[in-house]
Each structure stands twice: as structure tokens, then as C-alpha cells.
Amino acid sequence: MNLLKIAIGTTNPAKVQAIQKVFEEQYKEVQFQCLKTESHVSEQPMTDQETIEGALNRAKNVLKVTDCDVGIGLEGGVSESLYGMFVCNWGALVDRQGNEIIGGGARIALPNEISRELKAGKELGPLMDEYTQRTGIRKKEGAVGIFTNGLVTRETMFLHVVQLLLGQWQYKTNVQNK
């Protein structure tokens, strides 16, 4: 494969940069096409299942509307557990051969005051802007960056997910080609 064409189902800089970094480290010739793509889930996914579905829908939808080889969708959400509400992030990679790869990333507990607001129907992005008195947190460090004191940002969280997706895809396609 000479030129690998990647369709990215978002224009969010944190997500786009994570995808570009991972693929540019692995491939000499790679081209990206970024499109705002529908997830067909809630604006604020509240479970792992819903967050996975959002990522998979974005990957499938962006692949349908482009001539790219691979579609990638990344989705952030939250998930309730016995230990509180956690921020979660999931990704999906789909290709023209019908492969669907899913991978998830790190999780951290959200403060109770944030969890209460999410349960009341607020969305994490605008809630974080309100909480920090800043704008565009979701396009920068994200909630994870705020609550880890900048040690882990939204981009680095998604970077790990993209590495998981690409590694699984490379493994799967190598096995299929043997």
C-alpha cells in the first residue's frame, strides 16, 4: 500500500492531532480527510456501550462519504460504576475490507459535583467550560487534563486509543494476508 488515506470523523483538534501523530509515525505516505460526522448517539454518551456506538458510527459514516481506505471515529463519554462516574473514551477503525476494530482508553473518576450535573442532563464539554471559567476545554486538554493537573490531556488519552486501534488493525490485516 503506497498512500494510505484516512478519513477522520471529527474536526476536533485534540482528536485529529492524536490520529495524525500515530499514523504519521507508522506510515511514510498518509493523507487525512477530516469531516464533522454524526455519532447518532446522545450529545453526552452516558455508558460505555453508547460511547462505543458513537465511535463506530462516526468511523462508518465518514468512510461512506469519502474514498478513503480507513475511517476512524473517536468518542468521549462517561460511565457510571460502583465507585462513581468515570470519564471514558473509545475509538473505532473500519476499513474497506469490512474490518471493525474497537479500543478504549484510560479512565478517571469525575468529582461528585460534575457527576451530579451530568446526571441532571448537562453535557461535559460546556460543563467543564463553566467549571473552569474558560472556553473550549473539550478541544484542548479536556476534563482529563483539568482533573490530572495537565499530566494527561485529551489528546494523549486519544493518542493511546488510536495506537490500540492501529496496532490491532495492523495485526489483523497481517494475519489475513498470510
Side-chain angles (χ1 to χ4, degrees):
M1 182 180 293
N2 292 341
L3 175 66
L4 180 62
K5 294 193 285 186
I6 307 295
I8 302 173
T10 186
T11 56
N12 181 303
K15 295 177 180 181
V16 170
Q17 288 166 8
I19 293 166
Q20 288 174 333
K21 280 182 184 176
V22 172
F23 277 86
E24 286 171 348
E25 284 177 6
Q26 294 289 312
Y27 296 94
K28 287 181 181 168
E29 293 186 53
V30 62
Q31 177 182 313
F32 302 98
Q33 189 172 348
C34 305
L35 297 169
K36 187 168 174 53
T37 308
E38 288 300 315
S39 67
H40 301 295
V41 297
S42 307
E43 283 296 313
Q44 179 56 65
M46 296 295 288
T47 65
D48 281 319
Q49 184 62 40
E50 187 179 16
T51 310
I52 291 168
E53 285 176 24
L56 195 53
N57 288 340
R58 287 184 194 279
K60 289 177 180 178
N61 290 338
V62 77
L63 194 61
K64 280 181 198 169
V65 298
T66 65
D67 69 343
C68 292
D69 306 302
V70 170
I72 298 183
L74 299 175
E75 192 76 21
V78 296
S79 182
E80 188 71 50
S81 81
L82 294 175
Y83 304 99
M85 186 175 283
F86 285 74
V87 67
C88 67
N89 58 325
W90 288 91
L93 180 153
V94 297
D95 67 15
R96 297 269 174 216
Q97 288 67 50
N99 290 307
E100 292 182 3
I101 310 292
I102 296 170
R107 297 165 183 268
I108 62 164
L110 291 168
N112 290 334
E113 62 267 28
I114 299 292
S115 298
R116 275 193 298 278
E117 295 289 334
L118 290 168
K119 289 176 187 174
K122 288 198 175 180
E123 187 185 342
L124 187 58
L127 186 57
M128 289 306 300
D129 286 355
E130 200 177 294
Y131 183 81
T132 61
Q133 312 252 300
R134 294 174 33 213
T135 58
I137 296 295
R138 75 170 73 194
K139 294 183 178 184
K140 298 172 188 158
E141 67 266 60
V144 70
I146 298 298
F147 297 128
T148 64
N149 203 34
L151 289 178
V152 177
T153 65
R154 193 161 197 236
E155 181 185 326
T156 56
M157 216 164 116
F158 276 118
L159 189 80
H160 183 243
V161 171
V162 177
Q163 289 169 327
L164 294 170
L165 295 173
L166 180 55
Q168 289 180 89
W169 182 65
Q170 288 173 334
Y171 175 78
K172 192 170 193 169
T173 55
N174 285 342
V175 169
Q176 288 172 347
N177 293 332
K178 285 186 178 178

